């Protein structure tokens, strides 16, 4: 697990290139913040119930696929946040056998998951704070991007290495257009869209002989885009 962060930081020069100008990097409490106008919400990390939902543990260490919880991400504009029932599929008392942190039935674990069991028993939902937000006047469809082979990583960063999720990218209009003008090298094979570690091995930089993945090359993916990503105002504002 410790290996994830250093690897993730290798991506920083790439991110710097995307800003398209000189950017200042400041280390704040172990996190990185990009101080350019478009990036003012980068690093946003609201306080969450239960101290935050641990993606590093669930999606990273345990390897649970993103779509196990974010079930709508391939079908609709919005990805969904899972209900308490999804958590209870594993966190019902006595259910977990495998232990990551020494004893799933142990006191520490029971204390940490009590807010889930309480919410479920009282038929309440857990009020997670929203992190990523595009204003209502702009339209962002998740499914189109995910189905085209844009990895979650491109827009959300190394989620599988985050003990608590924060906003990794600016999500401003300039940021959307940066990719829309030049999407080619941002695509990954369809079966790797939710594999956030794979994405770091830079498919496009491989020699041609090593580029095929399950019969797909980057060039095939580019050819399979339904059309060029839109740059006309009406595609995102209507
Ligand atoms: C076992 C369930 C589960 C899995 C697996 C999971 N997530 Fe999540 N995810 C959640 C929950 C619960 C939240 C809400 C709490 C939070 O924001 O931390 C969330 C929040 C998020 C958010 C922030 C939403 C916002 O408010 O802006 C993103 C982005 C996200 N997940 C991406 C991913 C990605 C990418 C993966 C796969 C690498 C993944 N998730 C795997 C349960 C899961
Ligand atoms: C597919 C099974 C699975 C699902 C679904 C799942 N978890 Fe977990 N969760 C685990 C396992 C395994 C552990 C590690 C247990 C241990 O510590 O040994 C864990 C640990 C935790 C912990 C203790 C955290 C820590 O750092 O030790 C919390 C809190 C937690 N999960 C919250 C949630 C929430 C909230 C959801 C629903 C959004 C959820 N889990 C869904 C399997 C799951
Ligand atoms: C092209 C960029 C992009 C990609 C790729 C992407 N997301 Fe998002 N995601 C966003 C943006 C932008 C928002 C804020 C959307 C809004 O406010 O309507 C968001 C919001 C979310 C949310 C909060 C719920 C919502 O829909 O607002 C979750 C959960 C999420 N993304 C999960 C994922 C997962 C899982 C993947 C990969 C399977 C993924 N995203 C791929 C850009 C992206
Ligand atoms: C990392 C690359 C990337 C980023 C970032 C990105 N997009 Fe896209 N977007 C694409 C690609 C690739 C397509 C074309 C998909 C296709 O034609 O199959 C697309 C298509 C679209 C479409 C057309 C949908 C349709 O039905 O044809 C809209 C609208 C859109 N994007 C909005 C946004 C907005 C808004 C943002 C920023 C919040 C954004 N995108 C950020 C890569 C990206
Ligand atoms: C790929 C999607 C996309 C396209 C194409 C696009 N926009 Fe935007 N636009 C956004 C997003 C996302 C925001 C909200 C984030 C922000 O404020 O940067 C936004 C914000 C804006 C704002 C508010 C800016 C501000 O600073 O508050 C205006 C005005 C605007 N767009 C005009 C346009 C015009 C005019 C065009 C055509 C030349 C256009 N947009 C094309 C996605 C897009």
């Amino acid at each position: 697990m410790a290996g994830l962060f250093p690897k993730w930081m290798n991506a920083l020069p790439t991110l710097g290139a995307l800003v398209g100008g000189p950017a200042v990097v400041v280390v704040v409490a172990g996190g990185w913040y990009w101080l350019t106008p478009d990036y003012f919400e980068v690093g946003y990390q609201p306080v969450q119930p239960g101290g935050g939902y641990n993606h590093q543990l669930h999606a990273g260490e345990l390897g649970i696929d993103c779509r196990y919880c974010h079930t709508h991400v391939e079908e609709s504009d919005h990805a969904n946040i899972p209900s308490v029932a999804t958590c209870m599929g594993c966190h019902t008392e006595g259910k977990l056998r495998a232990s990551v942190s020494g004893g799933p039935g142990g006191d520490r674990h029971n204390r940490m998951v009590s807010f889930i069991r309480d919410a479920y028993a009282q038929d309440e939902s857990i009020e997670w704070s929203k992190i990523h937000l595009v204003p209502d006047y702009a339209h962002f469809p998740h499914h189109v991007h995910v189905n085209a082979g844009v990895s979650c990583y491109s827009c959300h960063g190394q989620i599988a290495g985050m003990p608590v999720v924060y906003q990794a990218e600016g999500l401003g209009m300039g940021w959307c257009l940066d990719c829309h003008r030049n999407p080619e090298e941002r695509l990954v094979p369809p079966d790797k869209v939710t594999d956030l570690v794979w994405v770091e091995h830079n498919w496009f930089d491989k020699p041609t002989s090593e580029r095929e993945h399950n019969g797909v090359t980057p060039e095939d993916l580019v050819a399979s885009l339904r059309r060029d990503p839109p740059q006309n105002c009406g595609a995102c504002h209507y």
Side-chain angles (χ1 to χ4, degrees):
M1 191 46 50
L4 269 178
F5 273 98
K7 262 195 276 167
W8 165 76
M9 286 185 178
N10 289 342
L12 287 173
T14 323
L15 293 175
L18 288 175
V19 177
V24 186
V25 185
V26 182
V27 187
V28 182
W32 295 79
Y33 288 73
W34 290 92
L35 298 180
T36 70
D38 242 3
Y39 282 63
F40 58 90
E41 289 192 287
V42 169
Y44 178 57
Q45 186 181 48
V47 174
Q48 297 283 11
Y53 176 70
N54 194 335
H55 279 75
Q56 183 179 49
L57 171 66
H58 292 87
E61 234 165 305
L62 298 171
I64 309 173
D65 190 90
C66 314
R67 292 161 297 188
Y68 183 94
C69 290
H70 303 296
T71 47
H72 298 167
V73 77
E74 290 173 317
E75 293 133 36
S76 74
D77 285 357
H78 288 282
N80 58 298
I81 301 294
S83 70
V84 191
T86 304
C87 315
M88 288 300 279
C90 292
H91 288 296
T92 303
E93 199 154 1
K95 202 155 185 183
L96 282 183
R97 267 179 282 257
S99 168
V100 179
S101 55
D107 286 348
R108 178 179 165 276
H109 182 77
N110 283 334
R111 240 184 354 261
M112 291 187 86
V113 300
S114 62
F115 76 106
I116 308 170
R117 293 174 182 163
D118 291 350
Y120 190 71
Q122 287 155 29
D123 202 15
E124 282 167 3
S125 50
I126 299 173
E127 298 301 323
W128 305 109
S129 297
K130 193 159 174 43
I131 302 160
H132 302 80
L133 189 62
V134 162
D136 284 343
Y137 58 80
H139 173 63
F140 175 77
H142 260 100
H143 59 310
V144 174
H145 292 89
V146 172
N147 295 334
V150 184
S151 168
C152 318
Y153 179 91
S154 285
C155 305
H156 294 299
Q158 189 46 279
I159 294 270
M162 295 184 194
V164 181
V165 175
Y166 58 87
Q167 184 171 324
E169 294 285 340
L171 312 185
M173 179 162 121
W175 175 82
C176 310
L177 288 169
D178 265 349
C179 180
H180 280 205
R181 289 193 193 102
N182 186 16
E184 289 80 11
E185 307 220 336
R186 314 292 288 281
L187 303 177
V188 302
D191 63 328
K192 294 295 181 189
V193 166
T194 60
D195 184 338
L196 306 198
V197 176
W198 190 88
V199 87
E200 292 177 357
H201 78 230
N202 297 328
W203 204 23
F204 279 83
D205 297 338
K206 300 262 182 243
T208 318
S209 60
E210 291 171 31
R211 278 175 159 212
E212 197 174 297
H213 172 84
N214 286 348
V216 181
T217 64
E219 290 74 16
D220 294 337
L221 274 186
V222 173
S224 75
L225 285 183
R226 287 179 306 134
R227 52 182 127 119
D228 286 341
Q231 295 176 37
N232 59 309
C233 319
C236 301
H237 300 294
Y238 54 81

